[in-house]
């Protein structure tokens, strides 16, 4: 588990269990784990949620959080997953937010992730009253201050008033306005409405499932926002139309190593799910009028694939200011200055030198240098200031 937030998440497990048992009027059982019967019961709910949200998609947009069985399954399984996803993405914010609005919050995993990441005032907003009730119970259990508001995007309700340093939308957008290209325009319009409430220097964070269909639709919404003049803070460095949409078979998602809390692991096993790593798609947008991050002087690429190693070589797909392309290096060209290339993870941002155009991308060799500029889950440092030409900027007598 990530050292940055693993202990925070472990502290939430007994709270989630306590609140879940209290909601069922059954307070008995060990504090930090579920009984075998409870695991079986929750696993059945998770199986139903997984089928309805990631396979046949029949629950997408439905009021599943108003069903006590499904809400309980969400709380004990998807809550820790969403919390971890949020902490990973929040690590890329350019500055720590003070005021946060979590739209479509459910029982608050992203809201509490923001509090644990240093936010001072957080509001959770959702259309499900039972989910907000659980969020308030969790806040009481943890001794945290959390405001809650009702918000129903399906009724075109405006978000709660106010201006915020950060607005989060976790696994909300993919459930709105349909499941095909017809959803792109209204989703972009909603994001534009929400961004109007983000303070200068703030961000809107949209987290979505890593499925091919939901990820590609998020990329189409990204393109619509870029066309409207909005800048992307992360993960994109390419300023044009998303190159991952060129081929139907491509999509873009993040993946992080994530040893699961034991409870989540047990429930996953009971539900017949395999969840070794944390997967998600995400976008961090800047409010209107703010530019893209200043380009750094190096040649940068974000690694957007798993390792594609072949016989005697290592290969990744990279995406950077010049677009999406393959990056490959033969094992025989490994040196002290480029060996980092053989140990990269999806999400890492690297700088490369001395490459040669080859096939659909670039070949690196023993003259190439590879440096990690930002590890996955960390923001790309701003470009260093350009030094003034010699003699400029000095006052007389200096």
């Amino acid at each position: 588990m990530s050292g940055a937030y693993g202990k925070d998440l472990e502290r939430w497990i007994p709270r989630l269990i306590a609140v879940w048992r209290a909601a069922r009027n059954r307070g008995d059982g060990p504090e930090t784990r579920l009984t075998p019967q409870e695991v079986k019961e929750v696993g059945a709910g998770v199986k139903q949620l997984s089928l309805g949200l990631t396979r046949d998609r029949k629950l997408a947009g439905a009021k599943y959080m108003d069903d006590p069985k499904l809400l309980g399954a969400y709380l004990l399984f998807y809550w820790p997953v969403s919390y971890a996803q949020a902490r990973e993405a929040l690590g890329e914010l350019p500055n720590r937010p003070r005021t946060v609005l979590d739209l479509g919050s459910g029982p608050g995993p992203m809201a509490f992730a923001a509090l644990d990441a240093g936010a001072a005032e957080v509001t959770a907003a959702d259309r499900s009253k039972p989910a907000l009730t659980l969020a308030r119970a969790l806040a009481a259990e943890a001794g945290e201050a959390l405001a809650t508001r009702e918000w129903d995007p399906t009724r075109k309700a405006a978000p709660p008033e106010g201006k915020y340093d950060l607005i989060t939308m976790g696994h909300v957008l993919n459930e709105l306005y349909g499941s095909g290209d017809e959803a792109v325009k209204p989703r972009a319009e909603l994001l534009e409405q929400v961004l109007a409430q983000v303070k200068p220097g703030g961000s809107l964070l949209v987290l979505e499932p890593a499925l091919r269909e939901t990820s590609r639709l998020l990329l189409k919404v990204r393109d619509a926002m870029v066309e409207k003049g909005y800048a992307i803070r992360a993960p994109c460095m390419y300023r044009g139309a998303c190159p991952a949409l060129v081929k139907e078979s491509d999509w873009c998602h993040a993946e992080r190593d994530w040893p699961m809390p034991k409870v989540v692991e047990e429930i996953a096993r009971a539900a017949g799910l395999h969840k070794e790593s944390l997967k998600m798609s995400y976008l961090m947008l800047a409010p209107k009028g703010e530019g893209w991050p200043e380009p750094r002087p190096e040649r940068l690429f974000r690694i957007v694939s798993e390792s594609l190693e072949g016989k005697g070589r290592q290969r990744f797909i990279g995406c950077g200011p010049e677009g999406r392309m393959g990056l490959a290096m033969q094992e025989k060209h490994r040196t002290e200055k480029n060996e980092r290339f053989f140990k990269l993870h999806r999400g890492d941002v690297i700088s490369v030198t001395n490459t040669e155009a080859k096939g659909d991308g670039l070949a690196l060799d023993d003259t190439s240098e590879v440096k990690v500029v930002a590890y996955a889950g960390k923001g790309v440092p701003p470009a260093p200031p350009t030094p003034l030409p010699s003699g400029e900027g000095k006052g007389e007598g200096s």
Side-chain angles (χ1 to χ4, degrees):
M1 191 175 293
S2 168
Y5 60 84
K7 286 181 179 169
D8 290 342
L9 180 51
E10 285 296 343
R11 280 194 286 271
W12 280 105
I13 300 300
R15 298 166 188 164
L16 295 170
I17 292 171
V19 165
W20 176 70
R21 286 187 178 135
R24 296 159 74 246
N25 295 317
R26 293 184 199 167
D28 296 336
E31 279 185 23
T32 57
R33 57 190 172 81
L34 301 178
T35 65
Q37 182 54 40
E38 288 173 333
V39 170
K40 192 176 170 186
E41 182 187 326
V42 176
V46 167
K47 197 171 186 176
Q48 197 178 332
L49 276 175
S50 176
L51 177 68
L53 293 175
T54 66
R55 292 179 211 168
D56 66 21
R57 303 276 296 154
K58 284 181 182 170
L59 285 178
K63 290 192 167 184
Y64 54 87
M65 291 228 180
D66 288 355
D67 177 328
K69 177 188 165 189
L70 296 183
L71 179 57
Y74 179 92
L75 187 71
L76 293 176
F77 184 77
Y78 287 106
W79 195 105
V81 172
S82 294
Y83 175 96
Q85 290 171 334
R87 288 299 296 269
E88 285 285 351
L90 292 171
E92 294 195 49
L93 285 171
N95 38 52
R96 180 185 290 184
R98 189 178 170 279
T99 54
V100 179
L101 172 63
D102 181 20
L103 290 175
S105 64
M110 294 192 67
F112 290 112
L115 279 166
D116 285 351
E121 294 171 28
V122 180
T123 301
D126 201 275
R127 65 176 174 169
S128 169
K129 289 180 183 178
L132 291 177
T133 299
L134 284 191
R136 287 192 292 271
L138 282 170
E141 190 76 23
E144 296 272 18
L146 179 76
T148 58
R149 300 280 183 277
E150 283 187 42
W151 174 70
D152 188 349
T154 63
R155 295 187 176 173
K156 301 253 164 112
E161 285 183 5
K163 292 273 189 176
Y164 303 88
D165 299 314
L166 172 69
I167 299 182
T168 59
M169 296 178 76
H171 303 285
V172 179
L173 211 58
N174 76 93
E175 298 190 15
L176 298 175
Y177 316 123
S179 58
D181 286 357
E182 77 283 350
V184 173
K185 188 170 181 280
R187 287 180 188 178
E189 286 169 355
L190 174 62
L191 294 192
E192 193 162 25
Q193 179 190 11
V194 170
L195 274 160
Q197 291 183 234
V198 175
K199 292 178 185 176
S203 303
L204 165 60
L205 171 62
V206 180
L207 264 182
E208 292 280 75
L211 305 168
R212 178 181 165 276
E213 297 77 13
T214 53
S215 299
R216 283 181 67 84
L217 272 175
L218 181 62
L219 295 178
K220 289 176 182 179
V221 173
R222 170 224 181 262
D223 283 1
M225 297 304 288
V226 169
E227 219 170 277
K228 287 171 183 271
Y230 289 90
I232 312 294
R233 295 204 193 283
C236 312
M237 292 183 281
Y238 186 64
R239 301 186 181 198
C242 178
L245 289 173
V246 175
K247 287 187 199 163
E248 275 296 321
S249 56
D250 285 344
W251 77 98
C252 195
H253 70 274
E255 185 169 2
R256 308 279 191 262
D257 289 334
W258 184 58
M260 286 183 275
K262 198 166 180 347
V263 168
V264 179
E265 199 177 333
E266 287 177 347
I267 296 168
R269 206 177 303 122
L273 300 179
H274 301 284
K275 246 191 166 15
E276 293 89 20
S277 62
L278 198 65
K279 294 180 182 179
M280 60 184 173
S281 291
Y282 70 103
L283 271 185
M284 198 178 283
L285 297 111
K288 190 82 179 210
E290 292 200 17
W292 290 71
E294 279 297 310
R296 290 177 58 95
E298 315 100 310
R299 194 175 192 186
L300 296 189
F301 291 94
R302 185 183 290 275
I303 301 302
V304 294
S305 74
E306 69 276 14
S307 162
L308 305 168
E309 58 191 299
K311 197 171 182 184
R313 68 154 198 182
Q314 178 63 284
R315 185 170 180 270
F316 295 96
I317 304 297
C319 192
E322 59 201 277
R324 180 183 170 100
M325 59 188 72
L327 304 169
M329 182 159 56
Q330 302 279 343
E331 179 71 44
K332 65 183 180 186
H333 290 144
R334 184 195 283 249
T335 68
E336 201 178 307
K337 288 193 170 181
N338 65 31
E339 68 174 347
R340 189 71 235 183
F341 187 76
F342 294 87
K343 301 170 188 168
L344 295 173
H345 295 97
R346 190 194 291 259
D348 290 343
V349 176
I350 59 168
S351 68
V352 297
T353 65
N354 296 0
T355 61
E356 182 191 348
K358 208 166 189 180
D360 70 342
L362 301 173
L364 289 75
D365 62 22
D366 52 10
T367 67
S368 305
E369 191 170 348
V370 177
K371 288 182 181 172
V372 177
V373 174
Y375 288 100
K378 302 290 179 193
V380 178
T386 311
L388 291 168
S390 181
E392 279 191 35
K394 290 185 178 178
E396 278 185 35
S398 59

